[in-house]
Amino acid sequence: MSRKMLTFMLLIILVLFTACGSNEGEREGGQTTKDESSNRWEEIQKAGEIVVGTSGTLYPASYYPEESDKITGYDVEIIKEIAKRLDLDVSFEIMGIDSMLSSLDSGRIDLVANDIEITKERQKNFAFSKPYKYSFSTMIVREEDLSDIHSLEDLEGKKAGGGATTVFSDIARHFGAEVVTYTNATNDVYLRDVEKGRTDLVINDYYLQSLALKALPEIEVTLHPDLLFHPTEQAFVMPKDAEILTKIVNQVLAEMREDGTLTDLSKEFFGGKDASNPPEEDVQKIEGLEL
């Protein structure tokens, strides 16, 4: 789709949302009016910039290459391409995972791009784009003895490294593990703590963990060979009232999926693998866990 056609469609969306709005400034049933949603998008256009919250420490989704001050990664490059196609600049605000959603809520940032999983609980308070990544969870354990973990039930009493508010920490707690929390730590910190016995495991995304291990082969840890669980969909997060922004981001993502850009970027950052489509592996769903 040409940029001229995309711009025309965005204008149509804007007109439709403005025309269909109820009384200006009102909230009905906790939902923001179309006028407020229109204003949020218009503010971004007026500034000529979209402000994005990301960690800069999550390889290969969002990171700084060695000896470089230029952020890159799968999530980051998708956002750069979206901004380019919308004729916007993009500004990245670097912050810990536990600060991203609150910063979105306060208006400090417009969007979060950090391999964030779509969950029912998060959807109550935030808007999500269509998924740009499909994956599942695995765990890193000690190489010598798999941290004595042979099933998810063996997590009881173990120490799991993670962020305080992540889905991965919720999974660890669900099975009785103690979560040792970190503030925007890099992969080597997590992995060395498992190796040295300060923690027993790290639950995280399969693709991210696979590449972290490949980048740090000197650390004696491994992906658990038998445990593949919790299929996931990752998406960009936006304020609940940003209906127009969400529709516009989804429109560009659809264009990028259709023209192969998502697949190309995935293969670039995930070792030739296409994470932009659902995985073929048999992945265990976790029963009784509300996320």
PDB file of all heavy atoms in Angstrom, residues 51-69:
ATOM      1  N   VAL A  51       6.456   8.959  21.303  1.00  0.00           N
ATOM      2  CA  VAL A  51       7.378   8.668  22.407  1.00  0.00           C
ATOM      3  C   VAL A  51       7.132   7.231  22.871  1.00  0.00           C
ATOM      4  O   VAL A  51       6.008   6.868  23.241  1.00  0.00           O
ATOM      5  CB  VAL A  51       7.182   9.651  23.569  1.00  0.00           C
ATOM      6  CG1 VAL A  51       8.185   9.353  24.681  1.00  0.00           C
ATOM      7  CG2 VAL A  51       7.330  11.083  23.081  1.00  0.00           C
ATOM      8  N   VAL A  52       8.188   6.425  22.856  1.00  0.00           N
ATOM      9  CA  VAL A  52       8.073   4.987  23.089  1.00  0.00           C
ATOM     10  C   VAL A  52       8.894   4.571  24.306  1.00  0.00           C
ATOM     11  O   VAL A  52      10.085   4.878  24.390  1.00  0.00           O
ATOM     12  CB  VAL A  52       8.554   4.214  21.842  1.00  0.00           C
ATOM     13  CG1 VAL A  52       8.512   2.714  22.092  1.00  0.00           C
ATOM     14  CG2 VAL A  52       7.700   4.589  20.633  1.00  0.00           C
ATOM     15  N   GLY A  53       8.265   3.858  25.217  1.00  0.00           N
ATOM     16  CA  GLY A  53       8.958   3.309  26.372  1.00  0.00           C
ATOM     17  C   GLY A  53       9.526   1.938  26.058  1.00  0.00           C
ATOM     18  O   GLY A  53       8.833   1.079  25.498  1.00  0.00           O
ATOM     19  N   THR A  54      10.796   1.717  26.382  1.00  0.00           N
ATOM     20  CA  THR A  54      11.449   0.432  26.145  1.00  0.00           C
ATOM     21  C   THR A  54      12.616   0.289  27.110  1.00  0.00           C
ATOM     22  O   THR A  54      13.045   1.266  27.726  1.00  0.00           O
ATOM     23  CB  THR A  54      11.906   0.321  24.673  1.00  0.00           C
ATOM     24  OG1 THR A  54      12.243  -1.032  24.382  1.00  0.00           O
ATOM     25  CG2 THR A  54      13.096   1.235  24.376  1.00  0.00           C
ATOM     26  N   SER A  55      13.146  -0.929  27.248  1.00  0.00           N
ATOM     27  CA  SER A  55      14.180  -1.158  28.258  1.00  0.00           C
ATOM     28  C   SER A  55      15.598  -0.915  27.764  1.00  0.00           C
ATOM     29  O   SER A  55      16.466  -0.488  28.522  1.00  0.00           O
ATOM     30  CB  SER A  55      14.077  -2.594  28.786  1.00  0.00           C
ATOM     31  OG  SER A  55      14.422  -3.513  27.766  1.00  0.00           O
ATOM     32  N   GLY A  56      15.857  -1.246  26.496  1.00  0.00           N
ATOM     33  CA  GLY A  56      17.220  -1.134  25.991  1.00  0.00           C
ATOM     34  C   GLY A  56      18.146  -2.215  26.507  1.00  0.00           C
ATOM     35  O   GLY A  56      19.344  -2.205  26.206  1.00  0.00           O
ATOM     36  N   THR A  57      17.610  -3.171  27.267  1.00  0.00           N
ATOM     37  CA  THR A  57      18.435  -4.247  27.837  1.00  0.00           C
ATOM     38  C   THR A  57      17.907  -5.629  27.488  1.00  0.00           C
ATOM     39  O   THR A  57      18.434  -6.628  27.976  1.00  0.00           O
ATOM     40  CB  THR A  57      18.502  -4.134  29.373  1.00  0.00           C
ATOM     41  OG1 THR A  57      17.181  -4.230  29.926  1.00  0.00           O
ATOM     42  CG2 THR A  57      19.132  -2.819  29.802  1.00  0.00           C
ATOM     43  N   LEU A  58      16.874  -5.705  26.655  1.00  0.00           N
ATOM     44  CA  LEU A  58      16.217  -6.978  26.368  1.00  0.00           C
ATOM     45  C   LEU A  58      16.602  -7.458  24.970  1.00  0.00           C
ATOM     46  O   LEU A  58      15.924  -7.184  23.984  1.00  0.00           O
ATOM     47  CB  LEU A  58      14.698  -6.830  26.488  1.00  0.00           C
ATOM     48  CG  LEU A  58      13.865  -8.113  26.393  1.00  0.00           C
ATOM     49  CD1 LEU A  58      14.214  -9.066  27.529  1.00  0.00           C
ATOM     50  CD2 LEU A  58      12.380  -7.783  26.412  1.00  0.00           C
ATOM     51  N   TYR A  59      17.699  -8.176  24.889  1.00  0.00           N
ATOM     52  CA  TYR A  59      18.186  -8.701  23.610  1.00  0.00           C
ATOM     53  C   TYR A  59      17.332  -9.883  23.167  1.00  0.00           C
ATOM     54  O   TYR A  59      17.028 -10.753  23.972  1.00  0.00           O
ATOM     55  CB  TYR A  59      19.641  -9.129  23.783  1.00  0.00           C
ATOM     56  CG  TYR A  59      20.265  -9.719  22.550  1.00  0.00           C
ATOM     57  CD1 TYR A  59      20.781  -8.902  21.557  1.00  0.00           C
ATOM     58  CD2 TYR A  59      20.321 -11.105  22.371  1.00  0.00           C
ATOM     59  CE1 TYR A  59      21.361  -9.447  20.414  1.00  0.00           C
ATOM     60  CE2 TYR A  59      20.893 -11.644  21.230  1.00  0.00           C
ATOM     61  CZ  TYR A  59      21.405 -10.814  20.261  1.00  0.00           C
ATOM     62  OH  TYR A  59      21.974 -11.341  19.138  1.00  0.00           O
ATOM     63  N   PRO A  60      16.870  -9.942  21.891  1.00  0.00           N
ATOM     64  CA  PRO A  60      17.109  -9.000  20.801  1.00  0.00           C
ATOM     65  C   PRO A  60      15.915  -8.085  20.514  1.00  0.00           C
ATOM     66  O   PRO A  60      15.786  -7.586  19.406  1.00  0.00           O
ATOM     67  CB  PRO A  60      17.349  -9.937  19.631  1.00  0.00           C
ATOM     68  CG  PRO A  60      16.334 -11.026  19.863  1.00  0.00           C
ATOM     69  CD  PRO A  60      16.271 -11.195  21.364  1.00  0.00           C
ATOM     70  N   ALA A  61      15.050  -7.903  21.496  1.00  0.00           N
ATOM     71  CA  ALA A  61      13.866  -7.067  21.278  1.00  0.00           C
ATOM     72  C   ALA A  61      14.199  -5.584  21.344  1.00  0.00           C
ATOM     73  O   ALA A  61      13.720  -4.775  20.542  1.00  0.00           O
ATOM     74  CB  ALA A  61      12.781  -7.399  22.312  1.00  0.00           C
ATOM     75  N   SER A  62      15.044  -5.208  22.310  1.00  0.00           N
ATOM     76  CA  SER A  62      15.375  -3.811  22.559  1.00  0.00           C
ATOM     77  C   SER A  62      16.720  -3.754  23.263  1.00  0.00           C
ATOM     78  O   SER A  62      16.825  -4.111  24.441  1.00  0.00           O
ATOM     79  CB  SER A  62      14.280  -3.176  23.436  1.00  0.00           C
ATOM     80  OG  SER A  62      14.687  -1.927  23.931  1.00  0.00           O
ATOM     81  N   TYR A  63      17.770  -3.305  22.558  1.00  0.00           N
ATOM     82  CA  TYR A  63      19.099  -3.344  23.164  1.00  0.00           C
ATOM     83  C   TYR A  63      20.047  -2.392  22.438  1.00  0.00           C
ATOM     84  O   TYR A  63      19.756  -1.903  21.339  1.00  0.00           O
ATOM     85  CB  TYR A  63      19.665  -4.770  23.121  1.00  0.00           C
ATOM     86  CG  TYR A  63      20.011  -5.253  21.735  1.00  0.00           C
ATOM     87  CD1 TYR A  63      21.324  -5.248  21.263  1.00  0.00           C
ATOM     88  CD2 TYR A  63      19.017  -5.727  20.871  1.00  0.00           C
ATOM     89  CE1 TYR A  63      21.638  -5.686  19.982  1.00  0.00           C
ATOM     90  CE2 TYR A  63      19.323  -6.172  19.589  1.00  0.00           C
ATOM     91  CZ  TYR A  63      20.631  -6.140  19.157  1.00  0.00           C
ATOM     92  OH  TYR A  63      20.935  -6.570  17.883  1.00  0.00           O
ATOM     93  N   TYR A  64      21.189  -2.148  23.077  1.00  0.00           N
ATOM     94  CA  TYR A  64      22.262  -1.357  22.486  1.00  0.00           C
ATOM     95  C   TYR A  64      23.397  -2.313  22.108  1.00  0.00           C
ATOM     96  O   TYR A  64      23.945  -2.986  22.987  1.00  0.00           O
ATOM     97  CB  TYR A  64      22.783  -0.318  23.472  1.00  0.00           C
ATOM     98  CG  TYR A  64      21.819   0.815  23.734  1.00  0.00           C
ATOM     99  CD1 TYR A  64      20.906   0.733  24.783  1.00  0.00           C
ATOM    100  CD2 TYR A  64      21.825   1.959  22.935  1.00  0.00           C
ATOM    101  CE1 TYR A  64      20.017   1.772  25.029  1.00  0.00           C
ATOM    102  CE2 TYR A  64      20.934   2.996  23.177  1.00  0.00           C
ATOM    103  CZ  TYR A  64      20.031   2.897  24.227  1.00  0.00           C
ATOM    104  OH  TYR A  64      19.151   3.915  24.459  1.00  0.00           O
ATOM    105  N   PRO A  65      23.760  -2.388  20.842  1.00  0.00           N
ATOM    106  CA  PRO A  65      24.903  -3.230  20.475  1.00  0.00           C
ATOM    107  C   PRO A  65      26.162  -2.761  21.200  1.00  0.00           C
ATOM    108  O   PRO A  65      26.277  -1.603  21.597  1.00  0.00           O
ATOM    109  CB  PRO A  65      25.029  -3.000  18.958  1.00  0.00           C
ATOM    110  CG  PRO A  65      23.676  -2.544  18.522  1.00  0.00           C
ATOM    111  CD  PRO A  65      23.129  -1.755  19.673  1.00  0.00           C
ATOM    112  N   GLU A  66      27.089  -3.677  21.367  1.00  0.00           N
ATOM    113  CA  GLU A  66      28.332  -3.353  22.073  1.00  0.00           C
ATOM    114  C   GLU A  66      29.035  -2.172  21.418  1.00  0.00           C
ATOM    115  O   GLU A  66      29.154  -2.105  20.195  1.00  0.00           O
ATOM    116  CB  GLU A  66      29.246  -4.579  22.073  1.00  0.00           C
ATOM    117  CG  GLU A  66      30.459  -4.437  22.974  1.00  0.00           C
ATOM    118  CD  GLU A  66      31.262  -5.717  23.073  1.00  0.00           C
ATOM    119  OE1 GLU A  66      30.803  -6.744  22.520  1.00  0.00           O
ATOM    120  OE2 GLU A  66      32.341  -5.684  23.690  1.00  0.00           O
ATOM    121  N   GLU A  67      29.447  -1.231  22.254  1.00  0.00           N
ATOM    122  CA  GLU A  67      30.160  -0.021  21.830  1.00  0.00           C
ATOM    123  C   GLU A  67      29.322   0.851  20.885  1.00  0.00           C
ATOM    124  O   GLU A  67      29.851   1.504  19.985  1.00  0.00           O
ATOM    125  CB  GLU A  67      31.502  -0.384  21.176  1.00  0.00           C
ATOM    126  CG  GLU A  67      32.448  -1.121  22.126  1.00  0.00           C
ATOM    127  CD  GLU A  67      33.778  -1.439  21.475  1.00  0.00           C
ATOM    128  OE1 GLU A  67      33.930  -1.155  20.271  1.00  0.00           O
ATOM    129  OE2 GLU A  67      34.662  -1.976  22.172  1.00  0.00           O
ATOM    130  N   SER A  68      28.001   0.840  21.094  1.00  0.00           N
ATOM    131  CA  SER A  68      27.115   1.680  20.292  1.00  0.00           C
ATOM    132  C   SER A  68      26.111   2.368  21.205  1.00  0.00           C
ATOM    133  O   SER A  68      25.666   1.807  22.211  1.00  0.00           O
ATOM    134  CB  SER A  68      26.362   0.844  19.255  1.00  0.00           C
ATOM    135  OG  SER A  68      25.392   1.635  18.580  1.00  0.00           O
ATOM    136  N   ASP A  69      25.773   3.619  20.863  1.00  0.00           N
ATOM    137  CA  ASP A  69      24.754   4.329  21.626  1.00  0.00           C
ATOM    138  C   ASP A  69      23.440   4.415  20.843  1.00  0.00           C
ATOM    139  O   ASP A  69      22.552   5.178  21.180  1.00  0.00           O
ATOM    140  CB  ASP A  69      25.235   5.744  22.001  1.00  0.00           C
ATOM    141  CG  ASP A  69      25.556   6.593  20.769  1.00  0.00           C
ATOM    142  OD1 ASP A  69      25.449   6.077  19.624  1.00  0.00           O
ATOM    143  OD2 ASP A  69      25.927   7.766  20.946  1.00  0.00           O
TER     144      ASP A  69
END
